Amino acid sequence: MQLDVFTQVPHAFAWMTEQRPLAAVLGSELELRLFNYRDTTPLRAGQVDDEPYGGGAGMVLRVDVVAAALESAYGGSPGHRVVALTPQGRQLTQAVVEELAAEPRLTLLSSRFEGFDERVVTHLCSDAISIGPYVLSGGELPAMVVLDAVARRLPGALTEGSGEHESFSPALDGGLEYPHYTRPADFRGWRVPDVLLSGDHGRIERWRREQSRLRSAPRETQTQ
Ligand SMILES: C[S@@+](CC[C@H](N)C(=O)[O-])C[C@H]1O[C@@H](n2cnc3c(N)ncnc32)[C@H](O)[C@@H]1O
């Protein structure tokens, strides 16, 4: 997969490339490219944003600047999915992550300050995604969230089997994962459930399923 991120702060992504899951797939399953709008802006002195028409606080990322950045990277229309990261987008879920992870090429556009000129979203992007119903100061963290969630779905990102029974996976019917415990079996009287020490894999599996179901129930009720 080739994943391109357009940002005003490309160096913010440095730490991620050294950590799993990204480090495990970079150079094999994933090619990550970071583009700075300032490098290709047609405006003077690296300008990328401007005051909003109609007045108001904050600066808006200009459509001509984003168009120039895309043109420079792709030499025309990208021909693949271009996602604007914005609080007004479709909310990111595991189902959306699976969708994105199946794309051979993906572009993420981030903004800062007041956000994008609306024409970026309507004319230069194929969709818009929000990582949640709250406002962050920039699209870099949302881009990293998408990047991490997508990278861990790529072959070789995780150790064998560790991604199969995760929260929201089909193996758990889209529900939440059951609780995990490790040594010591008793700490301050907080005991690990006996079933997990029993060695009875059938019972353990049934207990885990039940725990997953119980944990997922309140969330299902909330969304009904
Ligand atoms: C301060 S926000 C702009 C908020 C915008 N004026 C609004 O009220 O919806 C600046 C940028 O951060 C990014 N951003 C902030 N919150 C986000 C979220 N929940 N999901 C995705 N991107 C977000 C977007 O790229 C956005 O354009």
Side-chain angles (χ1 to χ4, degrees):
M1 175 181 206
Q2 181 182 285
L3 201 155
D4 296 341
V5 182
F6 289 74
T7 166
Q8 284 152 266
V9 199
H11 57 270
F13 294 77
W15 69 271
M16 270 197 93
T17 60
E18 294 159 13
Q19 307 290 326
R20 277 182 164 266
L22 221 55
V25 289
L26 273 181
S28 53
E29 292 294 329
L30 181 69
E31 185 191 352
L32 174 66
R33 304 191 304 173
L34 299 167
F35 297 92
N36 190 337
Y37 298 114
R38 291 189 198 285
D39 292 341
T40 49
T41 179
L43 308 173
R44 286 193 313 164
Q47 184 187 350
V48 295
D49 47 19
D50 225 319
E51 294 162 354
Y53 280 126
M59 298 293 274
V60 177
L61 185 60
R62 287 176 54 137
V63 63
D64 51 352
V65 167
V66 177
L70 293 173
E71 176 72 29
S72 162
Y74 307 117
S77 175
H80 61 265
R81 204 155 166 179
V82 178
V83 176
L85 295 161
T86 161
Q88 295 130 42
R90 177 164 68 126
Q91 200 135 315
L92 188 68
T93 60
Q94 190 62 36
V96 175
V97 169
E98 303 298 334
E99 228 181 75
L100 298 177
E103 299 283 350
R105 297 183 80 185
L106 178 66
T107 292
L108 303 177
L109 301 185
S110 69
S111 184
R112 295 193 75 78
F113 312 115
E114 270 318 301
F116 298 101
D117 181 306
E118 191 60 20
R119 291 166 293 184
V120 172
V121 182
T122 51
H123 295 286
L124 299 179
C125 294
S126 44
D127 50 342
I129 288 179
S130 163
I131 63 158
Y134 43 81
V135 178
L136 298 168
S137 306
E140 287 71 31
L141 288 172
M144 287 187 223
V145 167
V146 173
L147 189 52
D148 183 279
V150 165
R152 57 188 288 113
R153 300 308 301 152
L154 299 179
L158 305 178
T159 46
E160 187 83 15
S162 70
E164 279 166 28
H165 284 78
E166 282 190 319
S167 296
F168 317 115
S169 65
L172 296 177
D173 301 324
L176 299 176
E177 200 188 37
Y178 43 81
H180 290 290
Y181 297 88
T182 186
R183 294 180 186 87
D186 188 340
F187 180 68
R188 298 181 180 169
W190 307 331
R191 285 189 48 75
V192 170
D194 287 339
V195 60
L196 296 178
L197 308 175
S198 69
D200 182 337
H201 295 296
R203 262 185 75 207
I204 292 170
E205 179 59 24
R206 284 193 297 282
W207 181 85
R208 285 179 165 170
R209 288 241 151 231
E210 178 63 3
Q211 292 294 314
S212 168
R213 203 183 55 73
L214 289 172
R215 287 183 152 188
S216 309
R219 172 181 286 260
E220 282 161 16
T221 313
Q222 276 170 25
T223 55
Q224 274 170 6

